[in-house]
Amino acid sequence: MELPPRPTLFDFHGVPMIEIFTANWDSIQNFKARPDDILIATYPKAGTTWVSYILDLLYFGQTCPDRHMSIPIHERVPFLEISIPSQPSGKDLADHLPTAPRLIKTHLPVQFVPKSFWEQNCRIVYVGRNAKDNTVSFFHFARMSNFQPEPGDWSTFLQRFMEGNSERNKLIQNSTTCSTEDLIEDFGREFNSLCFFLGLSPSAEEKERVATGVMFDNMKQNKMTNYSTVKTMNQDVSPFMRKDPLNFT
C-alpha cells in the first residue's frame, strides 16, 4: 500500500491544524447532534481510546457483546472531524451510528465544536493528562502515524509542543473531567464519578466486567482496540498502545 505524503500544520483561524481535520469543515460544523449524544473531548493522546472503550463497554457491553470483538473502536466511537480520502469520514460514521446514545470523539478546541452539541445540551466527557506523558505519547504516535506531520527529533517536537504548535483542546461547559492519572490511581472512584455524571447505576458485576475489559493488556491484545487494523499506522515503528509508565492512548 503506497502511503500519501505526510501533512504539514497550518494556521486555521488561529489554531494549528492539518488538512484531514479541515477538509470536510462545513459538513462538520453542520453536524446534527442529538440530545442523548455523548461527546468525548480530548487533547490527542490524552486517554481517548481508553475512555472511549470504558463508555462503550458501559453502555453496550451487555446488550451487544459481540461488537467489542468484531467492530473496531474507531467505528464504534467515530472521530468526528477526521476526513481521509477513500475512507468514510468521521461525520458520516457518526451520522449512521445505530446505537443510542451515540458515542463520538473529538480533538477540536471548544470554539470549533459544532454548535448543535450546545443547542442539544449534550453531555461531554473531557479527558486530560499529565503534559509530560501526553507529549511522549504524542511523539511516538507521530512517528508511527502517516497522517500526522513529521515529528522530527524529540527535542524539536518537545519545543513545538511547549510553544503550542500542535492540535489543541480546552475545557468546555456542561462536561465532566477525568484524567488518565486519576483512572490509574483509583479506577473504581473515577468510574463511579463518570457513571454519576451519565446518570447510570451499573451493578457490581457490570463494573467488574468493564474494569477487566479495559485493562491495558486486554486492550493491547484486542485488534478492535489496538488499531492494528489501521494500515496507515506503522506499529513496527511504535505500537499504538504503549505503557511508559502511564500511557493509555
Side-chain angles (χ1 to χ4, degrees):
M1 177 182 176
E2 184 177 352
L3 298 175
R6 292 244 184 174
T8 56
L9 285 169
F10 63 95
D11 184 276
F12 186 77
H13 301 297
V15 177
M17 297 281 271
I18 54 179
E19 188 175 0
I20 61 172
F21 299 146
T22 62
N24 196 32
W25 194 249
D26 288 344
S27 183
I28 293 165
Q29 291 302 300
N30 290 320
F31 178 74
K32 303 300 183 185
R34 301 171 186 167
D36 62 344
D37 285 346
I38 297 173
L39 186 66
I40 302 166
T42 75
Y43 189 92
K45 310 307 292 179
T48 320
T49 303
W50 195 16
V51 173
S52 294
Y53 195 40
I54 289 170
L55 296 186
D56 190 54
L57 282 177
L58 180 60
Y59 277 101
F60 310 116
Q62 284 191 311
T63 57
C64 310
D66 294 340
R67 73 193 240 110
H68 306 293
M69 300 302 294
S70 60
I71 304 174
I73 188 68
H74 58 270
E75 295 181 13
R76 286 179 268 150
V77 185
F79 187 179
L80 179 62
E81 61 265 28
I82 198 165
S83 181
I84 297 174
S86 76
Q87 297 184 25
S89 71
K91 178 189 177 297
D92 286 343
L93 289 173
D95 281 336
H96 294 97
L97 276 176
T99 54
R102 297 185 301 185
L103 303 177
I104 302 167
K105 75 175 186 180
T106 184
H107 295 322
L108 291 174
V110 61
Q111 67 268 32
F112 290 163
V113 172
K115 63 180 182 180
S116 62
F117 284 103
W118 314 125
E119 293 169 345
Q120 297 297 326
N121 200 31
C122 298
R123 286 166 295 183
I124 299 167
V125 176
Y126 180 86
V127 187
R129 188 179 186 184
N130 175 281
K132 180 183 70 174
D133 294 318
N134 203 152
T135 311
V136 171
S137 184
F138 203 174
F139 173 68
H140 288 293
F141 177 68
R143 291 174 56 230
M144 59 86 80
S145 174
N146 199 66
F147 283 107
Q148 284 292 317
E150 179 61 49
D153 61 23
W154 165 245
S155 60
T156 301
F157 184 87
L158 178 61
Q159 184 64 34
R160 189 169 67 240
F161 188 96
M162 290 191 297
E163 291 172 353
N165 293 326
S166 55
E167 298 97 328
R168 294 177 289 177
N169 212 325
K170 300 177 182 177
L171 184 62
I172 41 187
Q173 65 181 14
N174 191 31
S175 67
T176 190
T177 303
C178 64
S179 75
T180 55
E181 289 78 20
D182 289 342
L183 282 165
I184 290 171
E185 178 183 289
D186 192 333
F187 182 86
R189 178 193 65 205
E190 297 305 307
F191 182 77
N192 288 339
S193 179
L194 271 175
C195 290
F196 179 79
F197 172 72
L198 298 169
L200 301 175
S201 301
S203 66
E205 292 76 14
E206 289 176 294
K207 291 180 181 180
E208 180 61 28
R209 173 180 51 78
V210 174
T212 300
V214 303
M215 291 176 62
F216 180 86
D217 289 341
N218 290 340
M219 289 184 64
K220 186 176 177 65
Q221 294 168 14
N222 184 350
K223 292 183 178 180
M224 298 297 103
T225 55
N226 66 16
Y227 279 77
S228 58
T229 61
V230 179
K231 303 307 179 186
T232 55
M233 296 184 184
N234 186 349
Q235 304 216 24
D236 291 332
V237 172
S238 178
F240 179 80
M241 299 195 68
R242 303 172 61 255
K243 198 172 186 180
D244 57 347
L246 303 177
N247 210 345
F248 278 92
T249 55

